[in-house]
Amino acid sequence: MNDAVLDPQDTGPSKGLDTISLLSSDERLKGRPKLCSDCGLCDSALKGRMSSACIFVHNQTAEIEQRLHGRGRRPDDERRFGIHRTQYAARMRQPNPQAQWSGIVTSLGARLLEQGTVEAVITTGAAPGTRFKSEPVLARTPAEVLATAGNKPCLSPNLRLLDQVREQGIKRLAFIGTSCQVHMLRAVEAELGLEKLYVIGIPCSDNVTYPDLEYFLTQVSRSPQTIVHYEFMQDFSLWMRHEDGHKERVNYIDFPMDKLHGIFPSSCLSCFDYPNTLADLTVGYMGAELGWQWVLARTEIGEELFELIRPELEIGELTSSGDRTRGMPHYIARLTQPPGAKKPPFLVRQLVAYMQRKKGSKGLEFARAIIEMKLLRNLNYVRSKFPRFEARVVPEHVYQTLEPYADKYQEVFGRPLAPQTEE
Ligand SMILES: Cc1cc2nc3c(=O)[nH]c(=O)nc-3n(C[C@H](O)[C@H](O)[C@H](O)COP(=O)(O)OP(=O)(O)OC[C@H]3O[C@@H](n4cnc5c(N)ncnc54)[C@H](O)[C@@H]3O)c2cc1C
């Protein structure tokens, strides 16, 4: 495998620090709106539907939820996790070593094809000669889906394959993707002429373009070229596995944030759907204990999907410990500081990382904590960079979820958390 086509260390983040930007320096994307996650819809014949489907033009989460569930979110964990019927800690009894976690997602895609439930699965493979460069794949066989196991942790224009779905006369389709892709897909679902659509969502936050991913790895790893797998774990550290099998671990608090700040696309910083709430079934890890996956069945179809894979699963226990509300006020205060400012000395960082692991939120409380942190950070980002967009791109559940921190927000930012109504 050769990922070293360019030397990312020399190129640096594709945009300057704190710069509002389209995605990366990718020529293909010139002319796109500033908030674009390259979901692929605009590469398809449905391009004309962009302004009415795009989550970054008008977030339609509440409307789509009404259509899918006939109701809005309950004032409990659903505000953070999205509407769901059941949730589980689970993992494959026989994990796929190529998978990101245990391989629930690709195993499910393969089963759907094996049983003839669907005719094709849209999934994300790796571009030839790379490990991590995303390439949308329209898989027609179980082997083709299984070959896409593992994250390609960069933006992927999966919806561009909708043209091929139509051209090939596919009527029963499974789609695996991130929350922005799923929002656009749901918005155009009725026009696709499908008899059945199965949506398997993965949680997603702070995605990057491929050049920025390469750059990121040069900043956090001693050997970026030999990484075969990496994940941001629930123990507040990044785990990287190398070709020779050795593992490298970097605590989040040790990340060189001053050098990383420019890598995140404006779209990902304006996203309010970390847990992929419009999917039928969401398969992540962040609400489960280390070593387990977190699975939420949201719709009847989601339950059907879960039942299909259940015989191959070991079911664990969902737990919750810690108290995120103690840390949130500090997090809100830190949002006013420039990224990377005043990094504490090494020993203090070691102590903080130890305390995070020992006393920090775990299980469902960890998921609540990071979802709330990203909602807050992204609300602030939209308010500072795209204030005129707030009414269109920030859904109501964001303010409802963050309401317990409204006083602190007012104190730190000198403005109410609630949206200001226009004169
Ligand atoms: C950028 C990114 C960020 C993520 N962040 C989180 C997080 O913060 N918290 C959390 O709980 N989970 C997160 N996930 C999901 C998680 O890492 C696993 O992908 C998920 O739990 C499925 O694991 P698995 O072993 O079942 O998947 P596998 O069976 O290994 O299958 C992985 C699936 O992911 C799909 N995929 C890979 N790359 C992409 C991509 N770039 N875009 C769209 N689909 C892709 C592939 O199509 C494949 O079907 C993230 C995933 C990505 C790609």
Side-chain angles (χ1 to χ4, degrees), residues 100-101 103-106 123-124 150-152 154 203 231 274 285:
Q100 186 63 22
W101 283 77
I104 295 178
V105 168
T106 40
T123 179
T124 307
N151 284 358
K152 275 54 73 176
C154 54
E231 186 61 275
Y274 194 171
Y285 61 89

Side-chain angles (χ1 to χ4, degrees), residues 37-166:
S37 64
D38 198 15
C39 72
L41 190 79
C42 292
D43 295 324
S44 80
L46 290 159
K47 182 177 179 180
R49 289 281 275 105
M50 187 278 276
S51 62
S52 53
C54 181
I55 192 169
F56 303 113
V57 174
H58 174 210
N59 187 310
Q60 296 162 54
T61 301
E63 293 93 315
I64 298 170
E65 282 178 334
Q66 276 297 336
R67 195 179 82 220
L68 289 177
H69 306 282
R71 66 174 178 90
R73 298 184 186 195
R74 282 193 296 262
D76 53 21
D77 264 345
E78 282 197 350
R79 287 209 173 132
R80 296 170 202 87
F81 302 164
I83 297 175
H84 54 278
R85 296 172 175 215
T86 40
Q87 55 176 335
Y88 306 89
R91 61 187 174 207
M92 296 296 290
R93 285 181 197 282
Q94 291 185 318
N96 172 356
Q98 310 305 324
Q100 186 63 22
W101 283 77
S102 68
I104 295 178
V105 168
T106 40
S107 304
L108 197 45
R111 294 302 159 268
L112 286 168
L113 279 164
E114 259 164 32
Q115 302 194 355
T117 313
V118 300
E119 298 155 276
V121 179
I122 293 184
T123 179
T124 307
T130 76
R131 277 194 187 98
F132 295 128
K133 186 172 185 185
S134 60
E135 186 165 271
V137 171
L138 184 66
R140 303 296 305 252
T141 65
E144 283 169 355
V145 185
L146 291 173
T148 66
N151 284 358
K152 275 54 73 176
C154 54
L155 302 168
S156 185
N158 290 7
L159 293 177
R160 71 153 66 134
L161 294 176
L162 290 177
D163 281 356
Q164 284 185 40
V165 169
R166 197 191 55 251

Side-chain angles (χ1 to χ4, degrees), residues 144-256:
E144 283 169 355
V145 185
L146 291 173
T148 66
N151 284 358
K152 275 54 73 176
C154 54
L155 302 168
S156 185
N158 290 7
L159 293 177
R160 71 153 66 134
L161 294 176
L162 290 177
D163 281 356
Q164 284 185 40
V165 169
R166 197 191 55 251
E167 284 155 18
Q168 296 182 26
I170 292 160
K171 295 288 177 201
R172 286 170 286 118
L173 176 74
F175 180 87
I176 301 169
T178 56
S179 45
C180 52
Q181 298 166 353
V182 169
H183 181 285
M184 322 310 181
L185 180 69
R186 290 295 194 196
V188 300
E189 181 176 354
E191 294 147 58
L192 300 176
L194 296 171
E195 285 160 14
K196 194 85 190 212
L197 174 65
Y198 293 83
V199 182
I200 303 167
I202 51 174
C204 179
S205 166
D206 300 347
N207 210 342
V208 291
T209 61
Y210 182 62
D212 287 339
L213 179 151
E214 290 195 298
Y215 169 78
F216 167 76
L217 294 179
T218 66
Q219 297 304 305
V220 293
S221 171
R222 286 189 291 272
S223 175
Q225 305 296 345
T226 57
I227 297 171
V228 291
H229 180 279
Y230 70 90
E231 186 61 275
F232 298 85
M233 301 297 270
Q234 303 100 312
D235 67 349
F236 303 89
S237 70
L238 170 68
W239 293 17
M240 294 166 278
R241 198 173 69 234
H242 291 268
E243 280 164 356
D244 63 3
H246 90 271
K247 292 193 180 119
E248 194 182 357
R249 212 169 87 176
V250 180
N251 294 323
Y252 295 156
I253 192 162
D254 291 326
F255 278 15

Side-chain angles (χ1 to χ4, degrees), residues 4 15 43 51 71 159 175 177-178 190 239 263 272 276 280 328 331 341 400 406:
K15 9 185 216 307
D43 295 324
S51 62
R71 66 174 178 90
L159 293 177
F175 180 87
T178 56
W239 293 17
I263 69 174
F272 298 94
N276 211 323
D280 291 308
M328 283 303 277
Y331 179 75
Q400 293 164 342

